[in-house]
Amino acid sequence: MFATYLIGLREGLEATLVVSILVAFLVKSQRRDRLPQVWAGVGLAVALSVGFGSLIQYTSTSLLRTSESRELFEAVTSVAAVVFVTWMIFWMRRAARTIAGELRGKLTDALAVGSLAVAGMAFLAVIREGLETALIFYAAAESAAGGTGPGSLLALAGGIATAVVIGFLLYRSAVRINLSRFFTWTGALLILVAAGILKYGVHDFQEAGVLPGLNDLAFDISTTLDPNAWYGALLAGMFNITAAPTVLELVAWVAYAVPVLVLFLRKPAQPAKPARPAEPAADTPSAPADVAAVPSPRA
């Protein structure tokens, strides 16, 4: 449950921040007349995202007839979700400082074109987050014990609602939070969630007969890590850490989580400062006073 809540919170806050930047720019630019187009674009993006999530669920439950095809579909969506999560967290870390300026520039260009351009710009700014949320939510919920049931949907909706409240308070300057630290911590947690999704995808590939080793267990600590206990359910629900993983599942989890966490938590290299020009030596003779300076040519 917490994994799906975290997905809704993280993705929802990214989308909310984008929308708040657009709204604040229009308000400060005295262009409130364009706000309905922004909300229309946002509403269309949300509707399409919900439709995309429903299509994924319908495909899995109704269109695919055999268990092997369903397992293969869930495996492919799991791998795709891991790719999107990885791209999203690294993109946000790189673009966090420049996203506001880029959005304002694009919105300025859209205002010069017309209403449809403003709505389209808002739509494109939100639809990416919505499609990512639908795909990642499906993969994360399927990898957990509860599946995409009412509890998972409520957890996702709770995360999105929390993100909307935080975004509104930030817009009204009612709260001050360190967004860089927030995205760092949630990004690290999402990497562990993605590792669990990848592990689940590998297991589905094994059940579909694409990968071998379904019965080759890396270890079995069921007597120590009780899957029915609260801590066992928490680890399985958040990070898909189970008591008896296969060898390929364990390899996939470690091979993804360790290097990606190291790369994500490593501080980006600071640009080198330009070297200061060397000061002239004290014994360097100065130019004669009667020599005029040569003017530089003008372009």
Side-chain angles (χ1 to χ4, degrees), residues 24 56 84 90 99 165 225 234 274 276 281 295:
I56 295 176
F84 275 114
F90 281 98
I99 187 173
V165 172
L225 182 62
L234 180 64
R276 297 179 60 183

Side-chain angles (χ1 to χ4, degrees), residues 1 3 140 143-146 196-197 199 225-227 229-243:
M1 293 297 180
S143 66
I197 294 175
K199 173 177 174 289
L225 182 62
D226 185 1
W230 67 268
Y231 52 88
L234 180 64
L235 290 175
M238 285 187 62
F239 311 126
N240 201 20
I241 296 177
T242 54

Side-chain angles (χ1 to χ4, degrees), residues 7-21 85 87-93 99 103 125-126 128-129 132-133 163 182-183 186-187 190:
I7 291 169
L9 176 62
R10 167 79 187 218
E11 296 284 343
L13 187 57
E14 288 185 16
T16 302
L17 290 176
V18 168
V19 174
S20 64
I21 291 171
V85 168
W87 176 82
M88 175 262 295
I89 58 178
F90 281 98
W91 175 85
M92 177 54 69
R93 189 183 69 167
I99 187 173
L103 286 173
V126 176
R128 179 180 62 83
E129 305 294 343
E132 284 180 4
T133 302
F182 171 84
F183 284 122
T186 55
L190 278 181

Side-chain angles (χ1 to χ4, degrees), residues 4 13 15 23 46 61 65 94 103 115 126 153-154 168 171 173 194 196 223 232-233 237 259 269 294-295 297:
T4 53
L13 187 57
V23 172
V46 172
T61 57
R65 299 298 182 181
R94 184 181 67 255
L103 286 173
S115 301
V126 176
L153 288 173
L154 288 176
F168 177 77
Y171 172 77
S173 298
T223 56
V294 179

Side-chain angles (χ1 to χ4, degrees), residues 227-286:
N228 297 318
W230 67 268
Y231 52 88
L234 180 64
L235 290 175
M238 285 187 62
F239 311 126
N240 201 20
I241 296 177
T242 54
T246 66
V247 174
L248 282 181
E249 287 177 24
L250 179 63
V251 169
W253 199 99
V254 175
Y256 174 85
V258 174
V260 175
L261 267 177
V262 170
L263 290 174
F264 179 73
L265 296 177
R266 185 180 63 182
K267 293 183 179 180
Q270 298 295 330
K273 295 182 179 180
R276 297 179 60 183
E279 297 181 358
D283 56 351
T284 302
S286 59

Side-chain angles (χ1 to χ4, degrees), residues 39-119:
W39 294 120
V42 171
L44 180 60
V46 172
L48 287 180
S49 300
V50 173
F52 178 66
S54 301
L55 178 61
I56 295 176
Q57 182 67 19
Y58 178 75
T59 300
S60 176
T61 57
S62 301
L63 295 183
L64 302 177
R65 299 298 182 181
T66 64
S67 60
E68 290 80 6
S69 61
R70 285 193 293 270
E71 297 292 347
L72 185 59
F73 177 78
E74 291 178 3
V76 172
T77 55
S78 296
V79 173
V82 172
V83 173
F84 275 114
V85 168
T86 309
W87 176 82
M88 175 262 295
I89 58 178
F90 281 98
W91 175 85
M92 177 54 69
R93 189 183 69 167
R94 184 181 67 255
R97 295 184 178 181
T98 60
I99 187 173
E102 292 178 359
L103 286 173
R104 294 188 189 103
K106 292 179 180 178
L107 186 55
T108 300
D109 296 338
L111 287 171
V113 175
S115 301
L116 289 179
V118 174

